[in-house]
């Protein structure tokens, strides 16, 4: 291997603090496009935020340990009206102290899941649209894939 004598060089002792100026800080909630148009659940997200905010979204799903599936599978899921048997993605969670009925709180984590106790205290605010990695072929209701990666 190569060795480098860095003695005498001014080396930083910690990484630089990265901040964004307030005028460039943006919160994207996937409920609306940058122009204010509502995003319909089931919409695939690719470059809709590129012109205004400078980023694209790419979601790759992993197929049963056989590798990556080609394509972009980033899709909008309405957590206030969970579909595809995905009540675990619903918000808020029905076990939150503020929830009086399942219609207002459609989220549900199975008691056998690792997130059961966390969901009862951390998923207590409606999130509306969320970004998922689509499991199906995109012709049916949005349904999340178990494995994949999102790249922004």
């Amino acid at each position: 291997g190569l060795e480098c004598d860095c003695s005498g060089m001014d080396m930083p002792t910690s990484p630089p603090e990265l901040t964004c100026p307030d005028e460039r800080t943006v919160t994207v909630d996937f409920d609306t496009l940058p122009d204010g148009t509502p995003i319909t659940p089931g919409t695939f997200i690719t470059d809709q935020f590129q012109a205004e905010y400078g980023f694209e979204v790419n979601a790759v799903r992993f197929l049963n340990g056989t590798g990556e599936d080609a394509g972009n599978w980033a899709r909008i899921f309405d957590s206030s009206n969970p579909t595809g048997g995905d009540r675990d993605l619903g918000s808020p969670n029905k076990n939150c102290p503020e929830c009086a009925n399942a219609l207002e709180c459609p989220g549900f984590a199975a008691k056998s899941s690792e997130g059961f106790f966390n969901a009862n205290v951390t998923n207590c605010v409606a999130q509306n649209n969320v970004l998922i990695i689509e499991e199906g072929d995109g012709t049916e209701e949005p349904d999340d894939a178990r494995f994949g990666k999102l790249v922004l």
Side-chain angles (χ1 to χ4, degrees), residues 41-44 59 61 73-79 81-90 130-148:
T43 301
F44 282 91
R61 60 185 177 188
W73 298 100
R75 196 170 188 199
I76 296 298
F77 181 89
D78 182 1
S79 72
N81 185 28
T83 56
D86 284 317
R87 286 193 56 208
D88 60 318
L89 298 181
V130 296
L131 192 64
I132 65 168
I133 300 172
E134 174 60 37
E135 177 179 70
D137 64 7
T139 60
E140 298 178 11
E141 298 174 325
D143 187 11
D144 70 319
R146 185 169 178 183
F147 300 106

Side-chain angles (χ1 to χ4, degrees), residues 2-62:
L2 294 174
E3 290 188 26
C4 178
D5 179 10
C6 295
S7 61
M9 294 180 72
D10 187 20
M11 301 296 289
T13 58
S14 62
E17 183 177 325
L18 300 176
T19 60
C20 225
D22 287 341
E23 65 273 8
R24 289 295 300 152
T25 300
V26 176
T27 299
V28 176
D29 61 15
F30 297 108
D31 291 325
T32 59
L33 294 171
D35 68 2
T37 303
I39 302 175
T40 305
T43 301
F44 282 91
I45 300 297
T46 55
D47 61 356
Q48 292 94 323
F49 296 91
Q50 175 65 39
E52 184 71 25
Y53 301 135
F55 73 89
E56 293 181 358
V57 176
N58 188 29
V60 178
R61 60 185 177 188
F62 302 126

